[in-house]
Amino acid sequence: MTAAPPVVDHATWRTTLDELRRREKAATRELDAIAAQRRRLPMVRLPDYTLTGADGPVRLADLFDGRSQLITYHHMWSDGAEWQCGGCTGFTSQFTRLDFLDAYDARFVIVTNGPITEALAYKAKVGNQMDWYSAAGTTFGADVDAAPGEGFAVNVFLRDGDTVYRTWHTNGRGTEQLSHTFALIDLLPFGRQEEWQDSPDGWPQSPTYSKWLDSPAVAGLYGPTA
């Protein structure tokens, strides 16, 4: 190895780990407090949008599939492109088992501003397991901070009958809390190995995104020819 953490005796290692653990526990308590504040957020009533699913037009209220809570990931999209955003493709490929949300009266789906035929074809191409919907021809994307040609976004909604409310939104690095990939990689001694990170001298570092799976790689791992 060209670089590695210093080697110390077990007592020193345990002491330094305990120091870090205090910060980790403080961060966990802060995340608990943030979640508590999130549960107290107000909400805003939305219009009665009609999106498109695999079986045709579908009202936003029906995306809940009978549940009261809904999470949407707005996938970045370029009409007609062979490969869509690698970050979005890799991020959403993580979500293969979502049945646990049933116990919480919730559902998690993908929405894109692209045509539904392209979206469903791309879903099959990269082996994505989530349910996809299209907001093409509506203002839904723009109204939830994910307009055509703009970035990705996560939104959360609450349904009361046929009325839908928007309760929470994030984008950018705010979506990392939903990813298990970064959580695992951040545990490693070398971390993400990206140039922007604060790492000791000699640690391996690469340009940001360079180690991420791109869309063809995701298709190769999970698509129909995998």
Side-chain angles (χ1 to χ4, degrees):
M1 290 187 295
T2 58
V7 178
V8 297
D9 60 83
H10 185 269
T12 302
W13 175 81
R14 177 63 67 182
T15 297
T16 55
L17 177 63
D18 288 345
E19 290 174 354
L20 176 62
R21 184 63 47 77
R22 284 191 285 273
R23 294 188 64 185
E24 290 174 338
K25 294 298 185 183
T28 297
R29 290 190 291 272
E30 175 63 12
L31 289 174
D32 287 343
I34 290 170
Q37 183 175 349
R38 186 182 298 119
R39 291 190 292 272
R40 289 165 172 78
L41 285 173
M43 59 187 184
V44 60
R45 182 172 180 168
L46 295 181
D48 187 15
Y49 298 99
T50 298
L51 281 64
T52 308
D55 297 323
V58 54
R59 296 174 62 198
L60 177 61
D62 292 330
L63 261 65
F64 290 72
D65 196 24
R67 300 165 181 84
S68 66
Q69 301 171 103
L70 176 70
I71 303 168
T72 65
Y73 181 85
H74 224 103
H75 199 295
M76 292 176 65
W77 195 264
S78 297
D79 289 355
E82 178 182 7
W83 299 105
Q84 300 297 334
C85 168
C88 291
T89 303
F91 178 82
T92 55
S93 71
Q94 301 174 76
F95 301 106
T96 58
R97 297 179 180 178
L98 293 167
D99 293 340
F100 68 91
L101 288 173
D102 291 346
Y104 296 90
D105 195 24
R107 191 182 187 208
F108 185 15
V109 303
I110 292 178
V111 177
T112 177
N113 293 313
I116 190 61
T117 52
E118 287 190 18
L120 295 177
Y122 187 72
K123 170 189 173 180
K125 183 178 181 179
V126 298
N128 192 282
Q129 299 298 304
M130 300 178 72
D131 291 322
W132 286 54
Y133 297 89
S134 169
T138 77
T139 63
F140 179 71
D143 293 346
V144 296
D145 298 285
E150 295 185 357
F152 57 93
V154 171
N155 282 278
V156 181
F157 308 93
L158 182 65
R159 181 180 66 86
D160 181 12
D162 289 335
T163 303
V164 176
Y165 302 89
R166 187 186 186 197
T167 65
W168 187 75
H169 161 264
T170 195
N171 54 21
R173 295 193 63 196
T175 62
E176 285 186 12
Q177 64 182 290
L178 306 179
S179 168
H180 70 259
T181 57
F182 290 129
L184 290 175
I185 294 168
D186 284 343
L187 297 179
L188 300 173
F190 293 146
R192 302 186 198 183
Q193 304 176 37
E194 297 189 355
E195 292 173 333
W196 62 271
Q197 289 194 295
D198 180 2
S199 296
D201 291 340
W203 252 230
Q205 289 188 303
S206 305
T208 303
Y209 313 125
S210 62
K211 293 185 178 296
W212 294 22
L213 291 176
D214 59 11
S215 299
V218 173
L221 288 170
Y222 307 117
T225 61

